[in-house]
Amino acid sequence: MSGRVAAGLGQAGTFFAFCLDALRGLGRRPFQVREFVQQAWFISSVSILPAALVSIPFGAVIALQLGSLVRQLGAQSFTGAASVLAVVREAGPIVTALIIAGAGGSAICADLGSRKIREELDAMEVLGIDPIHRLVVPRVVATMLVAILLNGLVNVVGVSGGYFFNVVMQGGTPGAYLASFQALGQLPDLVVGEIKALLFGAVAALVASYKGMTARGGPKGVGDAVNQSVVITFMLLFAINFVITAVYFQVVPQKGT
């Protein structure tokens, strides 16, 4: 047991050092613009449709559950505020993170892992090229950008789905749905959602890149690295989401309180 704990701490330390190297690489020149554009296009192409399709049931379930609950409490006028805030603050960034990690992150890990087992990364180091600056940094920046934009799409689709299901299926009032959100919603709610998406995208790209660049054991090792990167990313994302939400409610005063 102690050996596993020591190995886990060692991997955590190595990953932290990897993140610091990637952070230092952000300020180095030249920035790999072509790689950044290619990765941003690829990640967005594999993420947009799944994110839009997943956000519809998320918004619908939240609207249906909250609509039923507020009717029992006699607070139907706050259905819109509760539904929209739940999507913007929590559901939107979480959906974005899951899609980015599952689609974009796994692709990044598989790409870098295949380069590792073909010894391309070792060849780059022999030629004096830093693989982190050349390959990891553009992928991290591209993933962060796509995560921010994707979070906006998820918010729009989720809120629209919640509005449709509340008004059409539950007989809600369109005016009350929008007015309640305007009464309780505020700009920091959207800002914290975008900050979450930004951090989630960075974490997903860093974990995927680290697991890919440390893959061993041939194609099977690459497959194991992809699975591990997705699981580790999900665990880190939920932990980070809890911390950010707790800090947000302590720092930002809420309307109506």
Side-chain angles (χ1 to χ4, degrees):
M1 181 62 70
S2 60
R4 293 183 179 180
V5 173
L9 293 176
Q11 287 193 1
T14 305
F15 174 68
F16 183 72
F18 177 85
C19 293
L20 291 180
D21 291 338
L23 183 62
R24 286 198 299 265
L26 291 174
R28 292 179 55 186
R29 296 294 181 269
F31 181 74
Q32 305 297 325
V33 178
R34 181 176 180 181
E35 188 77 18
F36 163 76
V37 173
Q38 291 177 346
Q39 292 300 318
W41 173 256
F42 171 75
I43 296 172
S44 60
S45 65
V46 300
S47 303
I48 289 178
L49 183 59
L53 295 177
V54 171
S55 59
I56 294 175
F58 258 86
V61 169
I62 291 174
L64 294 175
Q65 293 286 351
L66 291 178
S68 176
L69 178 61
V70 297
R71 268 204 311 272
Q72 297 176 15
L73 299 176
Q76 294 92 330
S77 59
F78 292 101
T79 303
S83 300
V84 175
L85 291 178
V87 172
V88 172
R89 285 179 185 169
E90 300 298 332
I94 289 296
V95 171
T96 301
L98 297 180
I99 297 300
I100 287 292
S106 59
I108 291 174
C109 184
D111 177 37
L112 295 180
S114 62
R115 292 171 184 256
K116 176 65 176 179
I117 65 174
R118 292 198 304 264
E119 300 182 349
E120 292 183 16
L121 302 182
D122 297 333
M124 293 177 65
E125 293 179 351
V126 171
L127 294 174
I129 302 173
D130 184 6
I132 294 180
H133 176 251
R134 179 64 178 82
L135 300 176
V136 175
V137 172
R139 284 164 170 77
V140 172
V141 178
T143 306
M144 294 167 64
L145 175 63
V146 173
I148 294 176
L149 300 178
L150 198 64
N151 183 62
L153 172 66
V154 171
N155 287 337
V156 171
V157 177
V159 170
S160 301
Y163 174 86
F164 174 81
F165 279 92
N166 178 260
V167 173
V168 175
M169 299 188 64
Q170 294 184 317
T173 305
Y177 189 96
L178 299 176
S180 64
F181 170 63
Q182 294 176 356
L184 296 180
Q186 51 186 342
L187 182 60
D189 296 325
L190 178 61
V191 173
V192 72
E194 293 290 352
I195 292 175
K196 286 182 179 180
L198 179 70
L199 293 177
F200 292 168
V203 169
L206 287 171
V207 173
S209 299
Y210 172 75
K211 297 303 293 185
M213 296 184 69
T214 56
R216 293 182 178 87
K220 182 181 183 301
V222 175
D224 293 339
V226 171
N227 293 334
Q228 293 172 8
S229 69
V230 173
V231 174
I232 294 172
T233 301
F234 284 0
M235 296 173 62
L236 290 177
L237 293 182
F238 284 112
I240 294 173
N241 180 65
F242 172 78
V243 173
I244 295 177
T245 302
V247 172
Y248 173 73
F249 282 118
Q250 292 295 324
V251 173
V252 180
Q254 303 300 303
K255 285 187 176 181
T257 57

